[in-house]
Amino acid sequence: MGDATVKIGYWEPHSSSIDFCESNYLHTSYVAEPHNVWSSVVGLSIIGLLGFFKANPTHEWRFTIAHLTLFLIGIGSACLHGTLHWVYQSSDELPMIYLVICLVYAVIESESPRGKPRYPWLPYVMVVLAAVNTAVYYTFQHLYWIFLLTYTLGLAVLLGGMFRLVFLTKGRDPSIKKIYRFAIISYVVGGTVWMFDMLYCNTGVLPVANVIPGWARGVTPHVIWHISAGVSTYHTILALVCCRLDSLGIGYEVSHICGRLLPFVTITSSEDATKRD
């Protein structure tokens, strides 16, 4: 989108159902949107890896899969923004739906005893749900609003479950509420920036972005969305981890990395919290 300095890019003609605000091939003919590429890796993949290594003290598969899916979303997003190809678009958007499904499962089974799920059949239902969403996605991939609708519906279910788990459960630690409030604020800020970037691209964003000097030329507010979405997802998973530790009766304390941007939890009790599901 926008007035690129390179007439023909390596990946043209583009086959994705959406083209973002950043001017295509502004710095090189091989990468369509370089700023959206690096911000995907930093804001999503690196944060996902930090969560994998630092924010899963129970070592349960539900949280391992969630963090790794966040990592894969960042890789898929980087590939999408780098190529604007439909294959890489699906590698970005489908994992977003899978991550929501994974987190909904974690909410439902948050209070079950370790090794004794409340609903043993639930993983199979989630796999079927993921398969149905995949079929719907590929059937209507050319309609971007179908993906937005599917993702938003799943997100609404997740938000409802998280609200009950975090704010309506008696005796919930205030630190968990603080973590999840930050997740909500980060997502709202990122979502607002995403909408502004899309709605006012030609009239408000590009006239400024394309006159920025040096390597930052062409950078748009979409990079803020990537970082905000990654931080929000990280905090949501961590809030679920803390709720899980509460239900298992395992003591923990909250510390921080990257200043106070990313919290993580450390086990303080002597209970064995390292067994997988």
Side-chain angles (χ1 to χ4, degrees), residues 93-108 126 129-130 133 136 145-163 180 187 236 240:
E93 294 169 353
L94 275 176
M96 292 173 64
I97 296 174
Y98 300 155
L99 179 57
V100 170
I101 292 173
C102 178
L103 295 181
V104 168
Y105 170 84
V107 168
I108 295 173
M126 294 303 184
L129 183 61
N133 273 275
V136 170
W145 69 269
I146 293 291
F147 159 72
L148 290 179
L149 177 63
T150 304
Y151 175 71
T152 302
L153 289 175
L155 196 62
V157 173
L158 175 61
L159 288 173
M162 287 294 299
F163 186 84
Y180 191 57
Y187 201 85
T236 298
L240 276 168

Side-chain angles (χ1 to χ4, degrees), residues 1-11 21-38 81-82 206 208-220 223:
M1 188 178 290
D3 54 337
T5 57
V6 180
K7 292 183 178 179
I8 300 296
Y10 179 82
W11 297 99
C21 187
E22 183 178 340
S23 292
N24 298 335
Y25 306 106
L26 201 57
H27 293 277
T28 171
S29 61
Y30 294 101
V31 182
E33 299 171 355
H35 293 296
N36 285 340
V37 170
W38 68 255
H81 288 293
L206 286 181
V208 176
N210 288 346
V211 298
I212 299 174
W215 68 270
R217 185 185 179 200
V219 66
T220 69
V223 303

Side-chain angles (χ1 to χ4, degrees), residues 5 36 53 90 96 112 127 142 153 171 180 198 202 212 232 245:
T5 57
N36 285 340
F53 288 110
S90 62
M96 292 173 64
S112 61
V127 170
H142 60 290
L153 289 175
Y180 191 57
M198 299 299 290
N202 292 318
I212 299 174
S232 174
L245 290 171

Side-chain angles (χ1 to χ4, degrees), residues 62 105 109 112-123 244 277:
R62 64 192 75 175
Y105 170 84
E109 289 288 2
S112 61
R114 182 187 290 277
K116 297 179 180 179
R118 182 176 299 175
Y119 307 105
W121 43 263
L122 187 58
R244 180 65 175 153
D277 301 272

Side-chain angles (χ1 to χ4, degrees), residues 126-202:
M126 294 303 184
V127 170
V128 171
L129 183 61
V132 170
N133 273 275
T134 302
V136 170
Y137 176 87
Y138 279 120
T139 301
F140 299 102
Q141 189 178 11
H142 60 290
L143 301 174
Y144 187 64
W145 69 269
I146 293 291
F147 159 72
L148 290 179
L149 177 63
T150 304
Y151 175 71
T152 302
L153 289 175
L155 196 62
V157 173
L158 175 61
L159 288 173
M162 287 294 299
F163 186 84
R164 180 198 66 81
L165 192 65
V166 174
F167 297 111
L168 300 183
T169 301
K170 293 183 179 180
R172 188 64 77 201
D173 193 301
S175 64
I176 301 178
K177 298 179 180 180
K178 183 177 180 180
I179 290 170
Y180 191 57
R181 283 195 193 99
F182 190 86
I184 295 174
I185 292 171
S186 180
Y187 201 85
V188 169
V189 169
T192 302
V193 168
W194 184 89
M195 292 182 64
F196 175 84
D197 187 67
M198 299 299 290
L199 295 175
Y200 299 99
C201 177
N202 292 318

Side-chain angles (χ1 to χ4, degrees), residues 12 17 21 29 34 48 74 77 86 107 111-112 119 124 133 181 185 202 227 246 265-266:
E12 293 186 302
S17 64
C21 187
S29 61
S77 178
W86 74 269
V107 168
E111 297 172 332
S112 61
Y119 307 105
Y124 304 102
N133 273 275
R181 283 195 193 99
I185 292 171
N202 292 318
I227 296 171
D246 271 355
V265 293
T266 304

Side-chain angles (χ1 to χ4, degrees), residues 224-256:
I224 299 175
W225 156 248
H226 288 153
I227 296 171
S228 295
V231 170
S232 174
T233 304
Y234 177 95
H235 280 75
T236 298
I237 299 172
L238 188 66
L240 276 168
V241 168
C242 293
C243 290
R244 180 65 175 153
L245 290 171
D246 271 355
S247 69
L248 294 175
I250 298 174
Y252 63 92
E253 62 181 14
V254 179
S255 304
H256 291 82

